[in-house]
Amino acid sequence: MSLVDQFSAYSQWRAAASSAVGRLRQWLSHNEIGDAQGDLRLQCVLERLRDDKLTVAFVAEFSRGKSELINALFFSGYGDRVLPSSAGRTTMCPTELEWSADARPEIRLLPIRTRATHASVSELKRFAQEWLVLPLDVGSVGSLQQGFSRVGDTERVSPVEARQLGFEVDPDSADGLKPGSDGLVEIPSWRHVVVQFPHPLLEQGLVVLDTPGLNAIGAEPELTLSLLPNAHAVLFILAADTGVTHSDLAVWREYVRGGPGGGRRGGLVVLNKIDGLWDGLRDEARIDEEIDRQLHSVAEALDVPVESVFPVSAQKGLVARIHDDEALLERSRLGALERALSEELLPTKQEIVRNGALGETDDLILQARELLGARLSGLREQLHELTDLRGKNQSVIEYMMRKIRTEKTEFEEGLQKYYAVRSVFSNLTNNLLAHLGMDMLRDETRRTREAMLESTFSKGLSAAMEGFFENLRASLARSAGEIAEITRMLDSMYKRFSVEHGLKLAAPEAFSTLRYERELERLEAAFNRQINTALTLVTTEKHTLTQRFFETVAVQARRTFEVANRDVERWLRAVMSPLETQVREYQFQLKRRLESVKRIHQATDTLEERIAELEQAEVAMLAQLDELTGLERAIHAVLGASVLAVAARSGAPVPCAA
């Protein structure tokens, strides 16, 4: 089964999951069981399922056949190369290939000189005027090739300007770009490229990230701090004719295995250009022996299992796909890589999406079941009370009214404690959100930026950044303390209402800041790796690059705190919602009980009618509980299905090209 088929199956799985969650949302609204917060949570689940993206990053030094591999895996259906793939450097800057439903086919190119502003790429994506936009004619292969060729544009600048833009310059070309005979240095024209392209895989949520070589990777902090760590799969590409070179090892250690996000699932090593061994002088057995020897050599050099290294010929695989040559495709070994990629990428991503969706839906279904249980319990209590009134005189009915009024009074006294807790909860919430607030982060960022600008030595830069991360961690620690206090307070209130008034309330859900602490640790480790490469005395270009790394770190930290704010606010709503809902429901049931007994006190002949109404309501409520269980099972069945199972059921091939 091809990679295209499996991506299609994943898309079908997301659609089925969205449908199941949508039915739950509609059912809760129709039966007036949910609330506005629960509806918002389900809306967020649906949006995540709809907008879900899967990013595959291709990382390699120059001339390893990376662009050709992308052509072979994703674009063979066009009958020719789409991405430029020739000797030398064709990918000069990070390039994202994606498709959004409301987009137009186009290439957006961000000029390299925007680096001088220290603004991150993610920030500049919000300002269309900063980008050069070229339309794409997706019906013409020639037009596509011409458009994609612009990614490799270069220009020649002085070494001073190259350094100001973050490029290392080295006359020996060992650790940087070498000036030409004219004294100028060749640099990319573009800092970042985004291609909106209506390809079937991209339409289904795939994002292809094509990265440049070592020097260009190190010069773009956002690539190392955000794009690569957040990719769901990373393909590290080597060439069989060069083996593992010094620069290959540098890319591997600094940006793939040892870098941010290193060691994750979804990392594969590709040994490309094995067709160089097909020289016509060796038989297949000797060729296989040579490939096997190289695989073990690569695995040893990179310290990975040999099973993680995949030998391929991207060029022959592309030719085979274009000419429908099954024998050549088999010999290119492209299929084995596709299978490994889908087995690594899709199940891992599916597990993340599944766990997030089930976490929300299970919690809301539990709340709905508890609410229905409370309604059913209250209804049966009414039914029991009214059944006991059969044949009783007015004094007994009056006693029943007094009893319910007493319960109502006691509950209202309990509500005073509830309102007091709400007041304390509000104060603790304000304190919590202040610790995670953007004002705090802006102040820390400004303080650190000023300290770094004043630093002449790398030690001063390090101290400024240490203080930055120390203060952010302290803020998270204070937040964790507030969260613990809120949890203890609500747990006590939940237990009190459960014991005193019979409300069915589970302990409030726990919340941890560990996720955000780990992200700060990752950012700090990434920055320290960068600062440690600087000289003791910070040169102008080193200071510029370090400053740009900090600006990117600050953006990533802000994102982390924005996510923390969003998650905390959702948690606060979620932990209060069950108590608020049960309190409202209990008040409603007390009111209904009192009204029923009043009506019977006024007209005894309505007793049997009211009992019949309650019996019918009991049957309807039991049916609702059964329906809720059915919805829960349907959601678990859909979300629990594997992509491979979905693909096997569908069985229909999906075309490779638009």
Side-chain angles (χ1 to χ4, degrees):
M1 185 173 296
S2 73
L3 188 61
V4 180
D5 293 335
Q6 294 202 33
F7 266 92
S8 177
Y10 181 75
S11 183
Q12 292 175 39
W13 175 81
R14 284 190 299 140
S18 295
S19 178
V21 173
R23 287 195 297 273
L24 172 64
R25 185 186 183 201
Q26 186 179 27
W27 185 87
L28 290 173
S29 175
H30 176 74
N31 289 281
E32 298 181 348
I33 292 174
D35 54 27
Q37 299 302 338
D39 188 69
L40 181 62
R41 290 168 68 183
L42 288 178
Q43 177 62 27
C44 289
V45 171
L46 291 171
E47 288 175 358
R48 285 199 296 268
L49 286 168
R50 183 193 65 208
D51 300 331
D52 182 41
K53 298 288 186 182
L54 299 96
T55 301
V56 182
F58 290 74
V59 180
E61 262 292 46
F62 294 114
S63 300
R64 301 300 188 260
K66 174 167 48 65
S67 296
E68 190 78 323
L69 182 61
I70 295 174
N71 281 322
L73 287 172
F74 303 117
F75 301 119
S76 61
Y78 284 87
D80 202 345
R81 292 185 178 92
V82 173
L83 297 184
S85 178
S86 57
R89 302 179 176 185
T90 56
T91 303
M92 297 297 292
C93 67
T95 303
E96 293 178 88
L97 287 80
E98 61 182 24
W99 179 251
S100 303
D102 56 349
R104 294 176 300 179
E106 62 187 17
I107 295 181
R108 297 202 292 267
L109 304 114
L110 183 64
I112 192 67
R113 284 173 178 76
T114 58
R115 281 185 176 178
T117 66
H118 296 309
S120 67
V121 173
S122 60
E123 287 179 305
L124 291 170
K125 282 181 178 179
R126 298 198 293 266
F127 300 96
Q129 66 271 20
E130 298 289 341
W131 299 69
L132 173 65
V133 180
L134 303 175
L136 273 180
D137 180 2
V138 296
S140 166
V141 174
S143 173
L144 291 175
Q145 291 171 331
Q146 184 178 4
F148 278 106
S149 69
R150 294 296 306 273
V151 175
D153 287 355
T154 61
E155 52 191 84
R156 300 184 68 78
V157 301
S158 69
V160 172
E161 186 175 4
R163 290 189 180 102
Q164 288 173 343
L165 293 173
F167 294 99
E168 295 289 335
V169 178
D170 182 1
D172 298 324
S173 73
D175 297 311
L177 303 176
K178 180 180 180 179
S181 58
D182 57 0
L184 301 179
V185 176
E186 185 180 56
I187 65 169
S189 295
W190 315 113
R191 179 181 178 185
H192 198 89
V193 175
V194 177
V195 181
Q196 288 287 348
F197 185 53
H199 180 279
L201 285 176
L202 305 184
E203 289 172 354
Q204 293 167 23
L206 174 69
V207 176
V208 176
L209 174 61
D210 189 7
T211 65
L214 174 61
N215 288 328
I217 290 179
E220 192 54 69
E222 196 153 2
L223 185 61
T224 59
L225 293 174
S226 177
L227 293 176
L228 284 178
N230 290 324
H232 301 102
V234 175
L235 270 67
F236 181 63
I237 299 129
L238 302 166
D241 55 354
T242 60
V244 183
T245 67
H246 176 74
S247 60
D248 287 324
L249 273 176
V251 173
W252 173 258
R253 289 170 179 167
E254 293 180 34
Y255 304 116
V256 183
R257 172 52 62 90
R264 68 156 94 74
R265 286 187 64 188
L268 303 174
V269 179
V270 180
L271 184 63
N272 194 19
K273 301 187 178 182
I274 61 170
D275 54 289
L277 301 173
W278 306 350
D279 55 10
L281 300 177
R282 286 175 285 195
D283 58 24
E284 287 298 321
R286 289 178 60 194
I287 292 172
D288 288 344
E289 287 176 7
E290 175 64 16
I291 291 173
D292 189 61
R293 186 187 66 77
Q294 289 206 33
L295 290 183
H296 282 81
S297 175
V298 167
E300 183 178 355
L302 301 183
D303 191 24
V304 297
V306 70
E307 295 80 13
S308 297
V309 185
F310 293 85
V312 302
S313 169
Q315 191 269 335
K316 299 304 180 189
L318 177 62
V319 171
R321 285 251 164 90
I322 290 173
H323 296 295
D324 199 21
D325 186 337
E326 288 296 330
L328 183 60
L329 182 61
E330 182 70 22
R331 198 178 186 201
S332 75
R333 305 198 187 190
L334 195 63
L337 174 62
E338 283 188 321
R339 286 190 294 274
L341 180 59
S342 61
E343 288 168 4
E344 285 280 352
L345 173 62
L346 293 176
T348 302
K349 178 60 175 171
Q350 186 185 28
E351 183 180 355
I352 294 170
V353 174
R354 174 191 295 124
N355 291 344
L358 282 178
E360 293 287 1
T361 55
D362 282 353
D363 186 46
L364 291 171
I365 287 172
L366 176 62
Q367 289 184 29
R369 185 171 281 116
E370 288 175 346
L371 178 60
L372 284 173
R375 288 182 181 178
L376 185 61
S377 177
L379 186 148
R380 284 174 170 167
E381 189 170 353
Q382 285 188 61
L383 190 57
H384 178 71
E385 288 171 349
L386 297 186
T387 303
D388 284 349
L389 291 178
R390 280 174 169 154
K392 305 295 183 182
N393 57 31
Q394 289 293 322
S395 62
V396 174
I397 297 174
E398 289 170 359
Y399 166 77
M400 187 65 68
M401 288 176 62
R402 288 195 300 273
K403 177 175 175 291
I404 296 172
R405 284 198 178 102
T406 300
E407 286 183 37
K408 187 171 181 291
T409 300
E410 291 173 352
F411 185 72
E412 286 171 349
E413 290 172 356
L415 279 181
Q416 298 307 311
K417 298 175 184 176
Y418 165 73
Y419 293 135
V421 168
R422 279 303 308 252
S423 177
V424 176
F425 175 82
S426 180
N427 291 332
L428 290 173
T429 296
N430 291 336
N431 293 340
L432 171 58
L433 295 177
H435 295 322
L436 295 174
M438 295 298 106
D439 289 341
M440 175 278 301
L441 190 59
R442 276 191 292 270
D443 290 343
E444 282 301 318
T445 302
R446 184 178 61 254
R447 180 196 61 77
T448 307
R449 186 183 291 117
E450 291 170 354
M452 291 181 74
L453 289 172
E454 294 171 0
S455 297
T456 307
F457 294 89
S458 59
K459 185 177 180 181
L461 294 175
S462 298
M465 286 303 296
E466 283 175 12
F468 177 75
F469 284 109
E470 227 173 81
N471 290 332
L472 294 192
R473 279 194 294 269
S475 186
L476 282 179
R478 289 191 292 271
S479 300
E482 299 287 354
I483 289 169
E485 180 63 25
I486 290 172
T487 303
R488 285 192 295 269
M489 182 187 68
L490 288 179
D491 186 49
S492 174
M493 179 55 70
Y494 274 38
K495 287 177 180 176
R496 178 182 297 141
F497 271 80
S498 295
V499 171
E500 294 179 2
H501 306 291
L503 273 62
K504 295 181 179 179
L505 292 163
E509 180 186 355
F511 186 88
S512 172
T513 60
L514 183 61
R515 170 188 172 189
Y516 321 110
E517 293 166 15
R518 290 287 182 266
E519 177 62 13
L520 290 182
E521 289 173 5
R522 183 187 73 79
L523 287 174
E524 185 173 23
F527 185 85
N528 287 338
R529 274 192 299 275
Q530 164 63 23
I531 199 73
N532 288 338
T533 63
L535 301 175
T536 303
L537 182 64
V538 182
T539 59
T540 301
E541 65 270 19
K542 289 285 187 182
H543 201 297
T544 299
L545 182 56
T546 302
Q547 188 70 24
R548 189 158 59 249
F549 256 83
F550 168 68
E551 297 300 337
T552 305
V553 165
V555 169
Q556 295 300 314
R558 188 177 69 210
R559 287 180 181 170
T560 299
F561 272 71
E562 284 172 349
V563 171
N565 269 274
R566 182 198 66 202
D567 292 346
V568 161
E569 287 176 357
R570 287 179 181 171
W571 175 73
L572 291 169
R573 291 194 297 264
V575 293
M576 281 303 295
S577 182
L579 182 58
E580 290 172 339
T581 302
Q582 292 266 9
V583 165
R584 285 197 304 270
E585 189 65 26
Y586 193 79
Q587 286 179 303
F588 178 73
Q589 294 295 343
L590 281 173
K591 182 180 177 182
R592 291 288 299 273
R593 285 169 60 196
L594 189 57
E595 286 175 351
S596 293
V597 177
K598 277 182 179 177
R599 277 168 32 203
I600 292 159
H601 181 261
Q602 294 165 359
T604 310
D605 57 349
T606 63
L607 176 61
E608 294 301 327
E609 292 178 9
R610 183 59 183 150
I611 289 175
E613 288 175 9
L614 291 174
E615 288 174 342
Q616 290 175 0
E618 181 183 26
V619 171
M621 206 162 292
L622 289 171
Q624 285 183 327
L625 282 166
D626 287 342
E627 290 170 1
L628 183 62
T629 299
L631 289 166
E632 181 182 32
R633 288 173 179 166
I635 288 173
H636 276 258
V638 171
L639 289 173
S642 70
V643 172
L644 293 176
V646 175
R649 285 199 300 271
S650 63
V654 178
C656 297

